[in-house]
Amino acid sequence: MSLAGILLLLGFVLFAILMVKRLLPTLLALPLMAAWIALICGVPFFDWLGNIVVKGSFRLSAPIVLVVFGSMFAKVIQKTNISDAIIKKAAELSGDKPIALATLMTAATAFVFLGMTGLGAIIMIGSIAIPIMTSAGVEPIDAVILILLGMTTGSALNFAGAAAGIGIFGAEAVLKYFIPGALISLTVTTAYIVINIPRGNNDGGSAFALLRGFIGGLLSVPVSLVKTLGKLLDKKPGTLVKKKQTLPNAALVTPILPLAVIAVINFTVGLGNPAEGKVDPVAAAVLGFFLASAYAALLVHPSQAINLFTGSLVDGIKDVAGVLFLFMGIGMLVTATTQQAAVEILNPLMTAIMPSSFYGVLIFFTLLAPAALYRGPFNMYGMGTGIATILTNLNFLPASALYGMFAGVGYLQGIADPTNSHNTWLAGFAGVDATAVMKKVLPYAWAACVMMMIFVAILR
């Protein structure tokens, strides 16, 4: 190994330690890692400034746009109280039976996360759902884990949550594992509920009640739209007495609408490369977020739709400002690792470490999956960004297969990592230790990883 290779490796290790110890936030660590690579590789200062810092910041421009519109949609759902209503409706339908309550609250959380992302959504949902579950006899640690599993299941079908993967592996690679990822999350979540949640003896609701309510919401969409249009066309003078507004049932289907738009485009025109006459998946997702936001705003607050729309856009950008800079840092790191001098140093290093066969790499990722914890080398919001880029540039495996492997180890990071802000907040709110949460949910997250690796082997 060359001296430059050793220095680069030591730099990666140092930044990883600083992130694990929380001495250096990831927001700063990624740009600094990019600067370290440029320094070791002898990139001139102004080339680093122009090509890595400036152009690198825009490398993930499409995922950044996706995050902005996704966050706007999340704010619309929040400001219209749709997310609140879904969680409370699930609680009403479940009664006092712990397993029914846990199932419906987890399902409601997953449904809300079809359209929401971020710590704000976790705080809003957790502060409502955790007290409801614990009051019915669900252990606090189980309530925390169910929120995490529900979030993971819903996020598996939320295009905004896959923005980092899209930026590195491409939208088509991400789409390939959309449905498998959701099925795996659903399977693991169901297993956790069956194994850990007491059934109780009291009468409670059933999942069929929630399903009936959901179907009723779908069927009431045309009626709600006609009523809304009538209100817009027949405005009457306001009074000093304000009546409490009832949320239309049709509003409860809002979180699934972006997926519906993407599905319609996929079946009619097709998702893929625009040069082949298809629609860019990111563009389809942005359109879905926009139309769903307009639907919710016009349905719930038709007279204030424009203000709600613009306010949600501004507040949404505020919520994801840190994420946007993180994506800029990822872009810088990706650009730095693709510099010719860096490729010549890093490629031999990765070739020496990684197994040479497809199944060898698959087993390597599976066994070392915990390396995604604590901002480790498989964490896509840490060192994993650079490693994913290097492996993609080696071209020894399809980009879609590599994405599937990183998505597999990502289950451990997304559900179990105690350094995640959502894990920390949920554990603190429920009065349990984040490390205890990790230990209890880790076998389930690892099982999800194994299942994803099986899908990777099948879909390669």
Side-chain angles (χ1 to χ4, degrees):
M1 186 185 298
S2 65
L3 176 61
I6 294 172
L7 290 174
L8 282 179
L9 192 59
L10 289 175
F12 275 120
V13 172
L14 174 62
F15 284 116
I17 292 172
L18 291 174
M19 284 188 284
V20 168
K21 297 291 185 181
R22 299 194 176 187
L23 298 175
L24 183 67
T26 309
L27 287 177
L28 296 178
L30 297 184
L32 289 175
M33 287 170 71
W36 176 251
I37 293 172
L39 177 65
I40 298 301
C41 295
V43 177
F45 176 79
F46 287 107
D47 285 351
W48 163 74
L49 190 63
N51 293 327
I52 295 177
V53 176
V54 177
K55 291 182 180 178
S57 297
F58 292 97
R59 190 175 183 113
L60 302 188
S61 56
I64 286 173
V65 171
L66 185 61
V67 168
V68 168
F69 278 90
S71 182
M72 176 195 71
F73 178 51
K75 273 296 176 184
V76 170
I77 292 177
Q78 181 181 352
K79 291 188 176 192
T80 52
N81 293 322
I82 290 173
S83 50
D84 250 12
I86 292 171
I87 298 296
K88 290 175 181 176
K89 178 70 73 174
E92 291 171 9
L93 292 172
S94 62
D96 296 325
K97 199 171 184 179
I99 194 165
L101 182 64
T103 301
L104 289 175
M105 295 303 288
T106 307
T109 301
F111 190 70
V112 169
F113 268 93
L114 290 173
M116 299 190 76
T117 57
L119 180 61
I122 280 289
I123 293 173
M124 180 190 65
I125 293 170
S127 59
I128 299 172
I130 289 176
I132 292 174
M133 284 193 278
T134 53
S135 66
V138 177
E139 292 294 326
I141 192 170
D142 291 325
V144 169
I145 291 172
L146 289 177
I147 297 295
L148 291 170
L149 290 171
M151 175 198 72
T152 303
T153 304
S155 297
L157 293 172
N158 187 332
F159 221 70
I166 292 170
I168 296 173
F169 301 101
E172 292 185 23
V174 172
L175 279 173
K176 191 173 184 178
Y177 291 95
F178 239 46
I179 301 301
L183 291 175
I184 290 169
S185 298
L186 182 61
T187 301
V188 171
T189 301
T190 303
Y192 188 90
I193 292 172
V194 171
I195 294 170
N196 293 277
I197 307 302
R199 296 183 180 276
N201 299 314
N202 298 324
D203 292 332
S206 68
F208 294 106
L210 185 62
L211 183 61
R212 284 198 301 271
F214 178 71
I215 294 173
L218 283 175
L219 295 177
S220 68
V221 168
V223 176
S224 293
L225 290 176
V226 171
K227 287 182 178 179
T228 300
L229 184 61
K231 289 178 183 178
L232 287 171
L233 296 176
D234 185 26
K235 290 185 178 179
K236 295 181 180 180
T239 63
L240 294 176
V241 180
K242 291 186 178 181
K243 295 181 180 179
K244 185 178 179 181
Q245 187 176 12
T246 303
L247 196 69
N249 285 334
L252 300 180
V253 303
T254 301
I256 207 171
L257 293 183
L259 276 179
V261 172
I262 294 172
V264 169
I265 293 174
N266 188 33
F267 284 117
T268 54
V269 184
L271 298 174
N273 189 348
E276 299 174 357
K278 298 181 179 180
V279 178
D280 187 307
V282 174
V286 169
L287 178 62
F289 287 136
F290 181 84
L291 292 178
S293 298
Y295 168 84
L298 289 170
L299 188 63
V300 180
H301 297 299
S303 62
Q304 303 170 18
I306 294 177
N307 290 336
L308 176 61
F309 215 91
T310 53
S312 296
L313 182 59
V314 173
D315 291 341
I317 292 174
K318 288 179 183 177
D319 279 358
V320 296
V323 176
L324 298 183
F325 189 78
L326 177 65
F327 275 35
M328 291 169 66
I330 290 174
M332 293 178 206
L333 184 57
V334 169
T335 304
T337 55
T338 54
Q339 297 293 304
Q340 185 59 37
V343 170
E344 292 173 358
I345 296 170
L346 292 169
N347 282 10
L349 181 63
M350 294 305 299
T351 304
I353 295 173
M354 297 296 295
S356 56
S357 68
F358 171 81
Y359 288 105
V361 176
L362 202 66
I363 294 171
F364 181 82
F365 269 78
T366 304
L367 295 178
L368 297 181
L373 299 171
Y374 294 101
R375 309 293 172 184
F378 285 165
N379 190 315
M380 287 297 292
Y381 296 96
M383 289 176 63
T385 301
I387 291 175
T389 305
I390 296 167
L391 292 177
T392 303
N393 293 335
L394 287 175
N395 293 319
F396 75 110
L397 286 176
S400 60
L402 278 173
Y403 171 75
M405 293 178 192
F406 274 97
V409 299
Y411 282 110
L412 279 76
Q413 183 271 323
I415 302 171
D417 194 343
T419 67
N420 290 334
S421 56
H422 49 262
N423 289 58
T424 304
W425 186 89
L426 286 170
F429 182 79
V432 298
D433 182 43
T435 304
V437 172
M438 179 190 71
K439 290 177 179 177
K440 185 164 187 179
V441 79
L442 189 60
Y444 297 90
W446 214 333
C449 174
V450 172
M451 284 188 274
M452 178 58 85
M453 297 306 173
I454 293 172
F455 270 108
V456 172
I458 294 171
L459 298 175
R460 62 171 298 192

